[in-house]
Each structure stands twice: as C-alpha cells, then as structure tokens.
C-alpha cells in the first residue's frame, strides 16, 4: 500500500473474487457481503446478465464522447425518466458529480431570478460527496475540516425539521433550493419522517425554490420502491442517482423535470466520460434486471425477514438504541461507539459498516437467498450482543 495515498482506513483483507452475495479473499476465506460496496452491487457480484451485457458492449463500443449521439445514453435517460417520473437526464461518473450538476442547476435557477448569491438549504447531518462543492453542502464540520475556504452558498438546518426551513424562508431572500437525502446514509440511516418531505415540497412551491433529492444511496430500489421519495408521494424537481445504478461500473445521473430540466444548455456543463456507452449499458441492464426479476418486491420481502431476525434478538436490549431504516438500508444504533464491530464481523466472515460512530449499517444486495438473509440477521445479532457484553 506504500504507493497509495492514505485516504482510507483499510481493513487488512484483499478480495479477489465474488459471486452473488459472497466474496472470497486471497486465502480462500468466504464472506457474506452485507454492504454491497456501500450500496453499489445491489445485483450481487459477477451478475451473469450484467457480465454478458458488458462483455458484448466492450467488444462493440466503450467510449465515443458526448460530441456524438450515444444510443445507450438516450435509452438509459428514457428508462430513468420513466422510473423516476422525471423529464431529462445528465450523465456523469459518480454521486458527487451528480450533486454538482444539481447544485449548478440550482444556481442557474437563482440567477435566472436575479438572485446574485443563490443559496441552497442542506442538512446538518447530510452527506453529498467529497468535491469542494459537495463538502460545502453539509453542516458536518468533520467533512469540511482542513479544506477551507468553504464554498459559499449553503445554509444548513437539522434533518426532519420543516419549521427550520420555513424560518429561513421568512428571514432570507437568497434561497433557491433545498437539497436532502430522503434517507440519510452516512449521517446514520436517518429516515425522513412522515409528512416531512411533503412539508418541504410545500415550502419550495410557495417560494419558487427547487426541491432536490439526493437518492444516491437510498435510490435504485434499495428502499423497496425505485426511489425513497416515491414512498412519500412527493416529487422532486431535481434528483441525483449513482451507486447502484451501474452495479459497480462508475456512473451517476442528475435528473430533472419542469423548468429545472431546461437550465443546462450547451456550453454550461459537461464531462468527458459521463454517459459513455459502456457505463450506460450497465445502467440499462441494472434497471432491466430489477424489473424482470421483480426485485423491488424482493427487497421488501428480504427487509421484513431481516428486520424480524434483528428485532427478535436486539429489540429493547440494553445497549441497543434503535433499529431503523427502510427496505435493505438498515441501521442499528448502539449506545456506545462501535467501530470495532467491523473488524469482528470481518473475522466472522460478514461485511458490514459503522457510520456516525454508533450506527451499524447494512446495505445487502437484493439477490440474497432467504438462508443468507437469516444468516445475516443471526450472525450480526450475535456479534452485536457479544460486543455490547464485552464493553
Ligand atoms: C455515496 C454518496 C454520495 C457520493 O457519491 P460518490 O460516488 O462517492 O461521489 C453522495 N450522496 C450520497 C447520499 C451518498 O451516499
């Protein structure tokens, strides 16, 4: 690792092969992957349909540039707009870039209204990426630390607090948009409460602001619906997706509807790689596989099964604060910091993650078998109980 910058605190393991929900390391040890590369490999590893599609695409055409029409990009734009009830798509290579496009759209929207310092409301516990723009789009000082001067144009409010947004509407005239994750991932699996997104939608409508959802982690089926905001019956003007969209092939998209969909014009935004035939073929195959195998229904089934397993062992247990989440995005908040659980789970052959210091996070793939779902709930509960008892 000497030639790599120390950006990551890595676990001492090297994965060399995957199949479905399983991974194998160099020594041949098997792991149940309950993290999916952080919400990415929703269809599992070495998914046969994806492998076949990508092989065919690689043999035919990988990249041409956005100087030309790209049929695969058009088809994926159509598919995403259909499942998200959006009108137009801009393709890029990551989640942070999708949010950058959203932020640029919000600023264009503000300047069109002659607002010189367009400002976006974000959440104190948000995570929107690691670019200079997206680290400014959070109130989380840890993410910003060391990288000042912070890009201006954001103001943060507590999550699930519509009154705080209403107050800003009364006190400021430079707000142009609200950017929210319908379920906060890195912030600790914080689910938007019933009525919150609708209340924010209402405030946005009253003031001519754009409502922008970051569905990068909770979208693409993870919540049991294509997108979490659909579970709330609230439509955004702009939405960012990435992570599971390519099942591991880097791709992101910013979707928009109404006037927001027409703000990006030739020369105002762009990317070399974004929306290339290879990445778009991955996205098309992912959508097609989720639909043809009814995986949205399966996510809900698996969620019920895993939650029953977790609740039967952990609910109301001393040391456990709450089990929460939606679909296959599940967080178990403990009373004490629990980062050490990640290594213990690794030893036990289970891949999990801890976020916001005290929240055990699982983001399993949609293709788990019932046996794997039971194994996950059982192993994880045992590890958590042992951990609580040893601290
Ligand atoms: C992962 C994530 C991002 C950033 O995506 P990258 O592909 O890492 O740039 C943004 N928003 C949310 C909600 C995420 O989970």
């Amino acid at each position: 690792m000497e030639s790599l910058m120390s950006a990551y605190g890595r676990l001492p393991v090297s994965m060399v092969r995957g199949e479905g929900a399983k991974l194998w390391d160099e020594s041949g040890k098997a792991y149940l992957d309950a993290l999916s590369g952080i919400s990415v490999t929703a269809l599992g590893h070495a998914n046969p349909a994806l492998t076949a599609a990508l092989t065919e695409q690689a043999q035919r055409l990988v990249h041409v540039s956005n100087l030309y029409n790209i049929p695969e990009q058009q088809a994926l734009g159509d598919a995403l707009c259909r499942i998200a009830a959006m009108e137009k798509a801009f393709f890029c290579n990551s989640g942070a870039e999708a949010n950058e496009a959203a932020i640029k759209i919000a600023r264009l929207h503000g300047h069109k209204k002659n607002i010189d310092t367009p400002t976006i409301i974000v959440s104190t516990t948000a995570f929107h990426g690691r670019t200079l723009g997206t680290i400014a789009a959070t109130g989380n000082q840890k993410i910003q630390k060391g990288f000042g001067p912070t890009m201006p144009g954001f103001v943060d409010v507590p999550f699930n607090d519509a009154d705080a947004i209403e107050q800003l509407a009364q006190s400021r005239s430079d707000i142009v948009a609200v950017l929210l994750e319908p379920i906060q991932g890195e912030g600790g699996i914080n689910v938007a409460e019933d009525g919150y997104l609708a209340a924010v939608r209402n405030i946005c409508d009253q003031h001519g602001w754009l409502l922008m959802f970051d569905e990068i982690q909770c979208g693409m089926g993870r919540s049991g619906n294509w997108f979490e905001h659909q579970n709330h019956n609230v439509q955004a003007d702009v939405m960012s997706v990435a992570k599971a969209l390519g099942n591991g092939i880097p791709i992101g998209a910013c979707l928009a509807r109404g006037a927001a969909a027409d703000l990006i014009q030739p020369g105002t935004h762009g990317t070399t790689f974004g929306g290339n035939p290879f990445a778009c073929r991955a996205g098309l195959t992912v959508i097609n596989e989720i639909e043809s195998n009814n995986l949205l229904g399966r996510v809900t089934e698996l969620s019920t099964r895993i939650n029953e397993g977790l609740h039967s062992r952990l609910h109301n247990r001393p040391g456990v604060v709450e089990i929460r989440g939606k679909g296959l995005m599940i967080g178990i908040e403990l009373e004490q910091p629990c980062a050490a659980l990640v290594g213990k789970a690794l030893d036990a052959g289970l891949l999990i993650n801890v976020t916001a210091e005290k929240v055990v996070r699982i983001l399993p793939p949609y293709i788990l078998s019932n046996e794997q779902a039971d194994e996950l709930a059982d192993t994880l509960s045992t590890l958590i109980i042992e951990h609580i008892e040893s601290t």
Side-chain angles (χ1 to χ4, degrees), residues 94-97 99 127-130 181 186 214 216-217 242-243:
S94 68
E97 280 177 85
N99 284 332
F127 179 79
H128 296 297
R130 295 287 193 169
E181 297 152 83
E186 307 306 304
D214 175 344
I216 289 165
Q217 190 162 149
K243 290 207 161 91

Side-chain angles (χ1 to χ4, degrees), residues 121-126 128 137-140 155-159 179-180 184:
I121 298 177
V122 295
S123 159
T124 321
T125 44
H128 296 297
T138 175
N140 188 339
V155 56
D156 61 276
V157 296
F159 192 58
L179 171 62
L180 290 173
Q184 293 186 329

Side-chain angles (χ1 to χ4, degrees), residues 38-40 93-99 126-131 134 180-187 214-218 240-243 250-252 329 361 363:
I38 317 184
S39 202
V40 171
N93 316 288
S94 68
E97 280 177 85
N99 284 332
F127 179 79
H128 296 297
R130 295 287 193 169
T131 59
T134 55
L180 290 173
E181 297 152 83
I183 305 173
Q184 293 186 329
E186 307 306 304
D214 175 344
E215 291 248 9
I216 289 165
Q217 190 162 149
C218 61
S240 46
V241 276
K243 290 207 161 91
I251 180 168
M329 187 166 182
R361 171 171 55 167
L363 299 156

